[in-house]
Amino acid sequence: MRPPLPADARRARLPQLRRQVLPADAADGSPRRRVPRDVVPPLLAQPHVLAAREELGESVSLAVLESDEAVFVARADAQRIVSAGVRLGARLPAHASATGRVLLAGLPDDQVDAVLERADLRASTPNTLTSVAEIRERVRRARTEQMAYTDEELELGMRTMAVPVRDSQGRVRAAMSVAAFTARISLPAMKATFAPILREHAERLGRML
């Protein structure tokens, strides 16, 4: 296991989160929308994301639900030349991502159904789920198991796992996820070894909300 980043290095990186915006698509080049911060403050979440990364040795992220997308508001990349997963500020369709399914699992069924009705179900890989019934079942399982995963569904060679971050009232406020290349770990091993560690750090963050 790699030693954690020095405290000075961690503090130096945190202010960058305040300036993160999504890619511009307005005609004048202005930012389209800022990363939402009203659900879980990134500065509060970042130390927990970093701690999970240090323990797992893989890239760890935190996402919140905005409209029908999981928006990544905190991120700690694996410390290797090529790291897995999305970048800070990225958006993924909630129905197709592990983080999104965990976030949807915190909603009432009618709201989940509304998201799935609007969803673009075109496949990104041969493993992408394109059936509303299959995706609804994955969301149901995420609600029961308090965990969701994708296995090369959005990108070949990539596995992800996510768990909910619940506040003191039990509400799902965010999803903490880990991403790894398929060559590094199998899905059963991911569930057995990564899930307990990810849950521990998600619970620590949740106790602060």
Side-chain angles (χ1 to χ4, degrees), residues 102 105-106 139-148 161-166 170 172 195 199 203:
V102 162
V139 173
R140 186 197 64 78
R141 285 171 57 183
R143 188 178 293 154
T144 301
E145 299 174 1
Q146 297 296 292
M147 176 185 70
M161 172 178 293
V163 300
V165 175
R166 293 182 177 274
V172 176
R199 284 194 178 107
E203 288 170 3

Coordinates of all heavy atoms in Angstrom, one line a residue, residues 102 105-106 139-148 161-166 170 172 195 199 203:
V102 N -26.9 3.6 -8.1 CA -27.0 3.7 -6.7 C -27.8 5.0 -6.3 O -28.6 5.0 -5.4 CB -25.6 3.8 -6.1 CG1 -25.6 4.4 -4.7 CG2 -24.9 2.5 -6.0
A105 N -31.4 4.4 -6.9 CA -32.0 3.5 -5.9 C -32.5 4.2 -4.7 O -33.3 3.7 -3.9 CB -31.0 2.5 -5.5
G106 N -32.0 5.5 -4.5 CA -32.5 6.3 -3.4 C -33.8 7.1 -3.7 O -34.3 7.8 -2.8
V139 N -31.4 -1.5 -10.6 CA -31.6 -0.4 -9.6 C -32.2 -1.0 -8.4 O -31.9 -0.7 -7.2 CB -32.5 0.7 -10.2 CG1 -33.0 1.7 -9.1 CG2 -31.8 1.4 -11.3
R140 N -33.2 -2.0 -8.6 CA -33.8 -2.6 -7.4 C -32.7 -3.4 -6.6 O -32.7 -3.3 -5.4 CB -34.9 -3.6 -7.9 CG -35.7 -4.3 -6.8 CD -36.4 -5.5 -7.2 NE -35.5 -6.5 -7.6 CZ -34.8 -7.3 -6.7 NH1 -35.0 -7.2 -5.4 NH2 -34.0 -8.3 -7.2
R141 N -31.8 -4.1 -7.3 CA -30.8 -4.8 -6.6 C -29.8 -3.8 -5.8 O -29.4 -4.1 -4.7 CB -30.0 -5.6 -7.6 CG -30.7 -6.9 -8.0 CD -30.0 -7.6 -9.1 NE -28.6 -7.9 -8.8 CZ -27.8 -8.5 -9.7 NH1 -28.2 -8.8 -10.9 NH2 -26.6 -8.8 -9.3
A142 N -29.6 -2.7 -6.4 CA -28.7 -1.7 -5.8 C -29.4 -1.2 -4.5 O -28.7 -0.9 -3.5 CB -28.5 -0.5 -6.7
R143 N -30.7 -1.1 -4.5 CA -31.4 -0.6 -3.3 C -31.4 -1.7 -2.2 O -31.2 -1.4 -1.0 CB -32.9 -0.4 -3.7 CG -33.7 0.2 -2.6 CD -35.1 0.5 -3.1 NE -35.2 1.5 -4.2 CZ -36.1 1.6 -5.1 NH1 -37.1 0.7 -5.2 NH2 -36.0 2.6 -6.0
T144 N -31.5 -3.0 -2.6 CA -31.4 -4.1 -1.7 C -30.0 -4.4 -1.2 O -29.8 -4.6 0.0 CB -32.0 -5.4 -2.3 OG1 -33.3 -5.1 -2.8 CG2 -32.0 -6.5 -1.4
E145 N -29.1 -4.4 -2.1 CA -27.7 -4.8 -1.7 C -26.8 -3.6 -1.3 O -25.7 -3.8 -0.8 CB -27.0 -5.5 -2.9 CG -27.7 -6.7 -3.3 CD -27.2 -7.3 -4.6 OE1 -26.2 -6.8 -5.2 OE2 -27.7 -8.4 -5.1
Q146 N -27.4 -2.4 -1.5 CA -26.6 -1.1 -1.1 C -25.3 -1.1 -1.9 O -24.2 -0.7 -1.4 CB -26.3 -1.1 0.4 CG -27.6 -0.9 1.2 CD -28.4 0.4 0.9 OE1 -27.9 1.4 1.2 NE2 -29.5 0.3 0.3
M147 N -25.3 -1.5 -3.2 CA -24.2 -1.5 -4.0 C -24.6 -1.7 -5.5 O -25.6 -2.4 -5.7 CB -23.3 -2.7 -3.6 CG -22.0 -2.9 -4.5 SD -21.1 -4.4 -4.0 CE -22.3 -5.7 -4.6
A148 N -23.9 -1.2 -6.4 CA -24.1 -1.4 -7.8 C -22.8 -1.6 -8.5 O -21.7 -1.1 -8.0 CB -24.9 -0.3 -8.4
M161 N -17.7 0.0 -9.4 CA -18.5 -0.4 -8.3 C -18.8 0.9 -7.5 O -18.0 1.7 -7.3 CB -17.8 -1.4 -7.4 CG -18.6 -1.7 -6.1 SD -17.7 -3.0 -5.2 CE -17.9 -4.4 -6.3
A162 N -20.1 1.0 -7.0 CA -20.5 2.2 -6.3 C -21.3 1.8 -5.1 O -22.1 0.8 -5.1 CB -21.3 3.1 -7.2
V163 N -21.3 2.6 -4.0 CA -22.1 2.4 -2.8 C -22.7 3.7 -2.5 O -22.1 4.8 -2.8 CB -21.3 1.9 -1.6 CG1 -20.6 0.5 -2.0 CG2 -20.2 2.9 -1.2
P164 N -23.8 3.8 -1.8 CA -24.4 5.0 -1.4 C -23.7 5.7 -0.3 O -23.2 5.1 0.6 CB -25.9 4.6 -1.0 CG -25.7 3.2 -0.5 CD -24.6 2.6 -1.3
V165 N -23.8 7.1 -0.3 CA -23.4 7.9 0.9 C -24.7 8.4 1.5 O -25.4 9.2 0.8 CB -22.5 9.0 0.5 CG1 -22.2 9.9 1.7 CG2 -21.2 8.5 -0.1
R166 N -25.1 7.9 2.7 CA -26.3 8.3 3.3 C -26.0 9.3 4.5 O -25.1 9.2 5.2 CB -27.0 7.1 3.9 CG -27.5 6.1 2.8 CD -28.3 5.0 3.4 NE -28.8 4.1 2.4 CZ -30.0 4.3 1.8 NH1 -30.7 5.3 2.2 NH2 -30.4 3.5 0.8
G170 N -30.6 9.0 6.8 CA -30.8 7.8 5.9 C -31.0 8.1 4.4 O -31.2 7.2 3.6
V172 N -30.1 9.1 0.6 CA -28.9 8.9 -0.3 C -28.5 10.3 -0.8 O -29.3 10.9 -1.5 CB -29.2 8.0 -1.4 CG1 -28.1 7.9 -2.4 CG2 -29.6 6.6 -0.9
A195 N -15.7 -3.7 -1.9 CA -17.0 -3.2 -1.3 C -16.9 -2.9 0.1 O -17.4 -1.8 0.5 CB -18.1 -4.2 -1.6
R199 N -17.6 1.0 1.4 CA -18.7 1.2 2.3 C -18.2 2.0 3.6 O -18.8 2.9 4.1 CB -19.4 -0.1 2.7 CG -20.3 -0.6 1.6 CD -21.2 -1.7 2.2 NE -22.1 -2.2 1.2 CZ -22.0 -3.4 0.6 NH1 -21.0 -4.2 1.0 NH2 -22.8 -3.8 -0.3
E203 N -19.6 5.6 4.7 CA -20.3 5.8 5.9 C -19.6 6.9 6.7 O -20.3 7.6 7.4 CB -20.3 4.4 6.7 CG -21.2 3.4 6.1 CD -21.0 2.0 6.7 OE1 -20.2 1.9 7.7 OE2 -21.7 1.1 6.3

